[in-house]
Amino acid sequence: MQTQVLPPTPDHLQQAADLIRAGEIVAFPTETVYGLGANAYDESAVQKIFIAKGRPTTDPLIVHIHALHQLAELAVNLPPVAYPLAERFWAGALTLILEKSARLAPNVTGGLTTVGIRMPSHPVALALLRAADVPICAPSANLFTRPSPTTAAHVLADLNGRIPMILDGGSTDIGLESTILNLLSDPPTVLRAGGIPLEALQSLIPNVRYQPRYLTAEEANPAPGQMLKHYAPRAALTVVLGQGSRILAYILAKEQEAQKNAQKLVIVALEQDLQALAVVESPCVSLGQDLAQAAHNLFGVLRDLDEQGVDQIIVRGVAEDGLGAALADRLYRAAEGRVEILD
Ligand code: TXA
Ligand code: MG
């Protein structure tokens, strides 16, 4: 199959919508990451997503909508807080876990009785949803366990020849996936930190809890989204936290080891943290000046380092406030749990 990468002109949007309505899958930009979409009412179209990504069919997909009235079609017994949340945070990077309606294709939710729903704010995503006129379920448009794609080039690198079309809307704004909020638990629980910080949700749900879980492949039947290895680069990545001087000493020791073993080591940190590492000989890559820039850049940096054939990556971790919680989560998963705390 030929994969076309097209700018989102009105013609190409219509073509993409026609493909979705004909039971095909299409990659498109959202404000978080690129998604790989199918008609959420069409079971065989949804099946194509799992095949193209190499994703286990037990891992459920998020359903995307463009208008609030669609919520009542897709979910039942909505808890009262759902609408105020939707009004405050949609269109945007918040996914609500709700009780699913019978209309959805069963494979969208991997057999669960719940469904994740969000309204993306990216104009191309909204235009596609309106033109297709069906809810579109879409995971991130990467191969299973690869970092999520934040540009059309990332999607092409993973899915070339596996999907008919990628709408190229440039690089995505936030760069990390949506926050997933389970409204069926009491109190409501954030299952995945993401583009909307926990602190913002607390204004409407003061007792909201953050409960990420990290399971290895060996642990039987992980619940959705809890697999530890999920955003892994090919290089071995280690996150370091703690005092600057101890981090520097750690890096210098690892550098000697890497030189002895002829391994390519790269250091990754926020711009201001790199200054303290000026004496390091290994290449250093900046994530940017603040958490928003770091979120925007992280997955692209990991993909670039893979392309360069880097063997080891040491990333200086970030504080878990605001977007930092989502960043720390993605780093922890990319590191498959290798975190050194150097206090
Ligand atoms: O920002 C995003 O959320 C992007 C864009 C494309 O919208 N999508 C995305 O989808 O990140 P995906 O499939 O890569 O991640 C969705 C996560 C998975 O970890 C899945 O297990 C979880 O959401 N999920 C989906 N439905 C769920 C449900 N009913 N209960 C619990 N977790 C669910
Ligand atoms: Mg994903």
Side-chain angles (χ1 to χ4, degrees), residues 53 140-159 231-234 237 297-310 313:
K53 278 185 61 103
S140 50
N142 51 286
L143 285 175
F144 184 57
T145 78
R146 296 276 295 144
S148 292
T150 57
T151 66
H154 295 162
V155 180
L156 192 68
D158 278 15
L159 300 178
Y231 303 94
R234 295 190 185 96
L237 188 149
N297 293 329
L298 176 67
F299 288 144
V301 165
L302 295 181
R303 280 177 178 265
D304 283 351
L305 294 177
D306 267 347
E307 269 181 25
Q308 294 167 30
V310 169
I313 306 171

Side-chain angles (χ1 to χ4, degrees), residues 5-336:
V5 182
L6 300 170
T9 60
D11 276 2
H12 294 151
L13 276 165
Q14 191 56 52
Q15 242 177 284
D18 291 344
L19 281 169
I20 295 278
R21 292 188 69 85
E24 270 306 328
I25 55 179
V26 171
F28 61 97
T30 81
E31 73 280 21
T32 58
V33 299
Y34 274 72
L36 179 60
N39 177 354
Y41 294 147
D42 181 342
E43 187 167 2
S44 67
V46 174
Q47 183 60 21
K48 292 180 184 174
I49 290 179
F50 291 103
I51 293 168
K53 278 185 61 103
R55 173 174 170 131
T57 53
T58 48
D59 199 0
L61 308 176
I62 293 173
V63 179
H64 298 68
I65 59 176
H66 69 272
L68 212 49
H69 67 79
Q70 293 175 286
L71 203 47
E73 240 172 78
L74 302 172
V76 295
N77 300 327
L78 268 65
V81 75
Y83 281 103
L85 280 167
E87 254 159 51
R88 173 82 64 91
F89 296 107
W90 285 356
L94 179 67
T95 296
L96 301 179
I97 303 293
L98 298 162
E99 204 176 312
K100 79 168 206 145
S101 83
R103 277 213 65 184
L104 283 169
N107 53 349
V108 170
T109 59
L112 296 178
T113 57
T114 60
V115 59
I117 302 177
R118 89 174 184 101
M119 188 190 296
S121 66
H122 197 293
V124 173
L126 288 172
L128 176 64
L129 283 160
R130 270 194 297 269
D133 199 27
V134 288
I136 294 180
C137 58
S140 50
N142 51 286
L143 285 175
F144 184 57
T145 78
R146 296 276 295 144
S148 292
T150 57
T151 66
H154 295 162
V155 180
L156 192 68
D158 278 15
L159 300 178
N160 192 10
R162 292 169 169 255
I163 60 175
M165 190 194 288
I166 302 169
L167 285 171
D168 184 352
S171 81
T172 62
D173 184 21
I174 297 174
L176 299 177
E177 303 87 343
S178 62
T179 300
I180 300 182
L181 176 63
N182 181 9
L183 287 184
L184 301 175
S185 63
D186 186 18
T189 325
V190 168
L191 303 177
R192 178 177 75 182
I196 301 289
L198 190 68
E199 293 86 339
L201 298 177
Q202 280 165 346
S203 60
L204 286 177
I205 315 175
N207 60 346
V208 64
R209 272 206 299 215
Y210 178 38
Q211 221 161 37
R213 289 195 62 201
Y214 303 100
L215 302 177
T216 58
E218 289 72 42
E219 290 172 277
N221 292 325
Q226 298 179 346
M227 294 277 292
L228 178 54
K229 179 174 176 174
H230 201 121
Y231 303 94
R234 295 190 185 96
L237 188 149
T238 306
V239 177
V240 291
L241 290 167
Q243 275 184 40
S245 58
R246 295 213 46 212
I247 288 176
L248 180 59
Y250 175 90
I251 290 174
L252 291 173
K254 287 287 167 192
E255 202 162 52
Q256 285 201 341
E257 236 176 73
Q259 270 167 12
K260 221 177 349 177
N261 302 325
Q263 291 223 315
K264 261 201 209 177
L265 170 69
V266 171
I267 314 301
V268 176
L270 286 169
E271 185 76 40
Q272 55 270 36
D273 291 336
L274 280 179
Q275 280 150 22
L277 301 175
V279 298
V280 163
E281 276 176 37
S282 311
C284 292
V285 177
S286 169
L287 281 175
Q289 319 255 355
D290 55 30
L291 293 177
Q293 286 185 12
H296 178 85
N297 293 329
L298 176 67
F299 288 144
V301 165
L302 295 181
R303 280 177 178 265
D304 283 351
L305 294 177
D306 267 347
E307 269 181 25
Q308 294 167 30
V310 169
D311 302 296
Q312 281 189 54
I313 306 171
I314 297 177
V315 186
R316 178 153 187 185
V318 297
E320 297 198 25
D321 309 319
L323 263 183
L327 255 175
D329 171 79
R330 302 311 185 272
L331 284 173
Y332 187 64
R333 291 176 195 274
E336 295 176 57

